[in-house]
Amino acid sequence: MPAPGEPDKAGQGGSRRVIGVDVARGLALVGIIIVNVFPPSAGGTATAEWAVLAGRPAALFALIAGISIALLTGGRRTPAGRAMTANRAGLALRALLITSIGLLLGPTDTTVAIILPYYGILFLLAVPLLGLGRRTLLGLSVVFAVLGPVAMQLVRASWPDMPQVQDEYSFSLAAAQPGVFLTDMLLTGFYPALPWVAYICVGVAVGRMDLTSRKVAAVLLAAGSALAAFMWLLSMVLLGPGGGLNRIVAATPLLSREEINSILIFGGNVDTSAETLPATTGWWLAILSPYTSTPVTILHTLGIALAALGAVLLLVPLLGGTAGPLAAMGSMTLTLYSAHVIVLATEILDESRPVMSITIQCIVFLLAAVLWRNAIGKGPLESVVAVSTAWLRTLVLNRGRPTRQPAG
C-alpha cells in the first residue's frame, strides 16, 4: 500500500512531487489488481501472471511508501527541531489513520489479504527513522531484512499454538485479541511489518536523493537489477549445491515433497496443513518465494522494486503527458486500493473472467482518478489523511509560540 494523502508540495522543503514516483505507484496498484484477480495456478502449475508478479507489486508499494515519507518530511533536506517533531507527529497520525481504514475494510469478507493495517504499523515504525542519514538507513535495511525474518521464525517456533485468525482484522477482532493482532502485524502475518521495515529504510534513503536526476534513476535501475539477480542466484545455490532443500525436506516430515514444492512456488498462497513458512529449520529462510518474507525474498523483491522505479523515472520524461493518467491513478491509491477491495468483496465482477475484471477496474480507476484530480485534487481518503495530519503538524509547530495580542 502506498503512502496515502501525499500533498502536491512535499514536506518542509516544498519540493514538487515527482511524477515518476506517482507513475510507479500507479503501476504497483495495477500489479496488485492483477495478482489479486488472476488465479495463481492453472492445471497445477503457476500462471505466468503469478510467476512474474506475485509479491513484487507489494514490495514496490512498500519502497514507494518510504520515498513518500521522505518527500513528506522535507525531501532532500531533513528538518530539525520543532519541524521534525511536527513531522513525527504527523507521520504517527497518518499511521493510525491507515491502520483504521484497513480495519474498517476487514469485515468486507474479501478473499485477499488486506495490506493496509500492516502498512499503518510500518508507518508507525518509520517515525524514529526520519532523522537518520542515507548510509545509516541502508545499513538498517540489511539488519531488518535479515534479523526480522529470524525473529519471525523464532516466534513461530516458540509459540506453535498461537491462535490462528482466519478472517481479516477488524476493530472488534483486533480489540478481542490484541496480542495476536500485534504479533501478526509485526512478525507472523501476511505482510509482517518488522522484516518489511527494510523497504521503508531504503525508500526513505532513496527519497532523500534527487529523483529528477537521470543519473540517480540509472543507478537505481542498475543496483536494483544486480541485487535481484544476486539474491536469486544465492537462493538457488543455497537450496541446490548447498543442500538446503534436502535439509528442509528432512526437517519437515509433516509436509510431503509436493507440499514443500508448492510453498516454494506459491508462498503465502498455498493451502497446506502447516504455517505459510514452517519453523522446522533455519534453511526455510533461504527460499525465494512470494509472501514468505525471508531475507532472500525481501532483498530480491527490493532489488526488483528499485529497478522498476529506476526504469520508470528514466521513461516518464520521454512519455510526456501520456503518463498523466497513470500518475493521477498513483496519486490516490489509498482510495483506489480500498475500492478494489470492496469490488472483490461484493463480487460485482465475474471472477471466472479475470481479464474482463482487471480491464474494467483499471479503466474505471484511471478515468475516475483523472476526473477527480482535475475537478477536486486529492483523492477522498487522501484528503482525509492530508487534512488531519496537516492540522496536527500545525498544532505541534505552533505549540509554545506566543500569541499576538490585538493592538489597542
Side-chain angles (χ1 to χ4, degrees), residues 65-87:
I67 294 172
S68 297
I69 288 171
L71 296 177
L72 286 163
T73 56
R76 299 175 65 188
R77 303 167 69 181
T78 306
R82 183 172 291 169
M84 175 60 78
T85 302
N87 282 331

Side-chain angles (χ1 to χ4, degrees), residues 244-268:
L245 183 56
N246 290 333
R247 288 180 171 88
I248 288 174
V249 172
T252 318
L254 295 180
L255 293 180
S256 67
R257 186 66 177 255
E258 288 184 358
E259 288 174 321
I260 291 174
N261 287 335
S262 187
I263 291 177
L264 297 180
I265 296 171
F266 299 106

Side-chain angles (χ1 to χ4, degrees), residues 90-129:
L91 184 58
L93 178 57
R94 185 177 300 270
L96 294 176
L97 291 173
I98 295 172
T99 303
S100 297
I101 294 170
L103 294 177
L104 286 174
L105 289 173
T108 56
D109 193 27
T110 180
T111 57
V112 301
I114 299 174
I115 201 170
L116 293 184
Y118 300 93
Y119 267 59
I121 302 298
L122 268 179
F123 273 61
L124 197 60
L125 294 176
V127 171
L129 306 175

Side-chain angles (χ1 to χ4, degrees), residues 86 89-93 387-397:
L91 184 58
L93 178 57
V387 169
S388 301
T389 54
W391 169 81
L392 182 59
R393 277 177 37 81
T394 302
L395 186 67
V396 174
L397 283 172

Side-chain angles (χ1 to χ4, degrees), residues 29 54 71 138 215 227 282 285 327 361:
L29 178 60
L71 296 177
L138 293 177
K215 180 180 179 181
L227 176 61
L285 295 176
Q361 288 186 68

Side-chain angles (χ1 to χ4, degrees), residues 178-201:
V180 175
F181 170 71
L182 289 176
T183 305
D184 268 351
M185 291 296 106
L186 291 171
L187 288 168
T188 59
F190 209 73
Y191 306 100
L194 199 60
W196 278 52
V197 176
Y199 299 111
I200 298 295
C201 289

